[in-house]
Amino acid sequence: MNGNDDRAETDGGTAEGSARTEGGPSRFAPADRVESVPPSGIREFFEVAENRDDVISLGVGEPDFTAPWAARSAAIDSLERGRTSYTANRGMLDLREAIAGRVTRYGQSYDPDTEILVTTGASEAVDLAFRAFVNPGDTVALPTPTYVSYEPGVRFAGGEPLPVHTHHEDDWALTPEALLEAGADEADVLVLCYPNNPTGATMDADEMDAVADFCREHDLLVIADEIYAALTYEGDHQSIATRPGMRERTVVINGFSKAYAMTGLRLGYAMGPETAIDAMTKVHQYAMLSAPTTAQHAALAAIERCDDEVERMRREYDRRRRYVVSRLRELGIDVAEPGGAFYAFPRVADVAPEGDARAFATELLEAEGVAAVPGTAFGAGGEGHIRISYATGLDDLKEAMARLERFLS
């Protein structure tokens, strides 16, 4: 009998051992903090849409472009050269140096040796920040409507999410008044996502200054998810980390998925004070070790050689943005002007059955084959709205708007 057979008989790995537990109750019960989190409202809805061939999806937040050729070529070249080993925990130094150079356009300055961490997507960077800085019972203020991953991430870290309502009438901008009304003056951490997912909102300099003043006055740490910074259409991107007294209390998160259409390559980064990046690196090195090596080579080429393609994609998104907003308003649907990202967040309460946006989205999908995300997937602040992604071709957008018009008639 060989070693494998011997092991199988003694560790329950034989067919007989498997049969003893087949059909029996699982020994695994989710931890309470996992059990308390519902499945993603986006994925739950689109599992229905995926079973139909005639659906135009305006829901998933993923570019319809492919990654620029220079980035893909660099990835291929790195594989052909056998560059398949781990990198340093913090990522390749030349990539961190390139990132440091790139973010100066936003007024940000970080030391590539000590203040930048390359991560497996911006999503990992967000998760690392929660695990590194949120203690059990800490309160984390989340402007709502908000990206679907923030609240579960806070709960997984043992924190308590605090919704801070933003409003359609304010173009979804965050204000000190909203923060104070929600009780965020007693919070420990504030999460900012501007340009915003799901609303497409941006904040101007005065609005960001006011939020920075609030954070300093009430001693809040800030996790600033700026993944859509390069997709800003009106004015300049505003980063809270550039405000007086904010750099030392802010971690900035960005990445390559959205602006560079590199979603599947899973590469992001975090920037912040050395002590913050040290803490996040500690979690990262045990959970992930290092970000994907091939993707890091692609990202370096993207920064160095793909500005023209990023700008071409940004202009195309802007063209689609203006079309979608104009068309929605022609149909009598109120929508705040989205200044960034690739989302619109129209209010459909006035045309939805009993004001129910989820029912509206469900009926639109069933009757016309147009998939949009109910606003409640992004928290209570999304009630009465749907999210429309214009990261899809203009021809499909035109057809989707025609179907929406037919649905409303």
Side-chain angles (χ1 to χ4, degrees):
M1 181 178 289
N2 65 34
N4 287 336
D5 291 335
D6 186 43
R7 179 195 56 79
E9 287 191 352
T10 58
D11 70 1
T14 62
E16 180 183 353
S18 299
R20 285 196 297 267
T21 60
E22 185 177 352
S26 170
R27 301 294 297 166
F28 289 95
D32 290 343
R33 64 183 180 278
V34 175
E35 186 69 19
S36 68
V37 173
S40 167
I42 296 178
R43 294 312 315 166
E44 178 186 11
F45 189 78
F46 279 92
E47 283 175 0
V48 177
E50 287 169 356
N51 293 324
R52 291 182 51 173
D53 296 330
D54 62 337
V55 170
I56 297 175
S57 177
L58 305 181
V60 179
E62 179 171 25
D64 61 317
F65 300 102
T66 56
W69 171 245
R72 287 180 281 148
S73 178
I76 294 167
D77 181 68
S78 73
L79 290 171
E80 289 180 337
R81 293 174 181 270
R83 294 172 178 164
T84 55
S85 301
Y86 296 126
T87 69
N89 291 145
R90 295 183 185 225
M92 301 186 323
L93 179 57
D94 49 358
L95 174 57
R96 285 180 279 138
E97 290 172 341
I99 291 168
R102 173 46 48 94
V103 300
T104 58
R105 62 178 56 185
Y106 305 127
Q108 298 166 343
S109 176
Y110 293 95
D111 183 341
D113 288 320
T114 60
E115 296 182 324
I116 297 177
L117 169 65
V118 179
T119 59
T120 305
S123 295
E124 190 213 351
V126 171
D127 182 60
L128 292 177
F130 289 150
R131 289 200 278 166
F133 308 123
V134 177
N135 285 306
D138 278 359
T139 299
V140 180
L142 300 175
T144 179
T146 190
Y147 176 53
V148 295
S149 292
Y150 297 150
E151 182 173 338
V154 170
R155 293 195 184 279
F156 293 156
E160 296 294 331
L162 175 69
V164 179
H165 285 268
T166 61
H167 302 283
H168 180 109
E169 294 76 13
D170 297 327
D171 291 336
W172 305 108
L174 181 64
T175 66
E177 293 77 17
L179 287 162
L180 194 60
E181 182 179 352
D185 53 321
E186 299 294 331
D188 301 285
V189 179
L190 170 65
V191 177
L192 284 181
C193 177
Y194 289 94
N196 183 262
N197 178 6
T199 66
T202 55
M203 292 178 63
D204 64 28
D206 290 342
E207 291 167 336
M208 194 64 78
D209 288 345
V211 172
D213 290 344
F214 184 94
C215 292
R216 286 192 302 271
E217 180 181 354
H218 299 290
D219 195 27
L220 271 69
L221 297 180
V222 177
I223 300 170
D225 184 350
E226 300 183 6
I227 188 67
Y228 294 100
L231 299 179
T232 300
Y233 310 111
E234 299 178 355
D236 297 325
H237 170 66
Q238 300 294 325
S239 174
I240 197 169
T242 64
R243 272 51 191 179
M246 291 305 299
R247 187 185 188 279
E248 58 264 35
R249 64 174 65 246
T250 303
V251 167
V252 176
I253 292 167
N254 208 324
F256 297 86
S257 292
K258 308 302 184 179
Y260 294 95
M262 290 168 53
T263 51
L265 291 176
R266 309 308 305 130
L267 209 74
Y269 52 92
M271 306 178 294
E274 182 176 354
T275 52
I277 296 303
D278 282 347
M280 293 175 68
T281 302
K282 183 182 292 185
V283 182
H284 171 76
Q285 67 186 4
Y286 287 117
M288 196 65 62
L289 189 62
S290 63
T293 301
T294 306
Q296 292 191 55
H297 286 285
L300 179 59
I303 291 177
E304 293 178 341
R305 297 155 51 193
C306 296
D307 280 357
D308 288 347
E309 291 189 62
V310 171
E311 177 57 20
R312 177 180 61 80
M313 289 187 280
R314 191 195 70 83
R315 286 197 302 266
E316 177 59 21
Y317 289 136
D318 189 23
R319 184 165 75 110
R320 299 172 187 178
R321 174 183 75 100
R322 288 182 277 111
Y323 170 77
V324 167
V325 169
S326 173
R327 195 74 174 88
L328 288 170
R329 289 173 177 169
E330 285 177 4
L331 297 176
I333 296 177
D334 193 13
V335 57
E337 190 80 23
F342 36 59
Y343 308 107
F345 205 63
R347 180 160 53 198
V348 297
D350 295 338
V351 295
E354 299 182 355
D356 186 343
R358 184 178 184 84
F360 179 91
T362 300
E363 291 183 14
L364 178 62
L365 173 60
E366 292 175 349
E368 295 291 346
V370 176
V373 184
T376 49
F378 307 98
E383 184 67 55
H385 295 75
I386 59 172
R387 190 189 76 173
I388 289 175
S389 169
Y390 47 86
T392 191
L394 190 58
D395 288 344
D396 278 348
L397 288 173
K398 290 180 177 179
E399 174 61 22
M401 291 298 112
R403 294 184 187 185
L404 176 59
E405 181 175 21
R406 186 168 62 213
F407 177 72
L408 292 173
S409 66

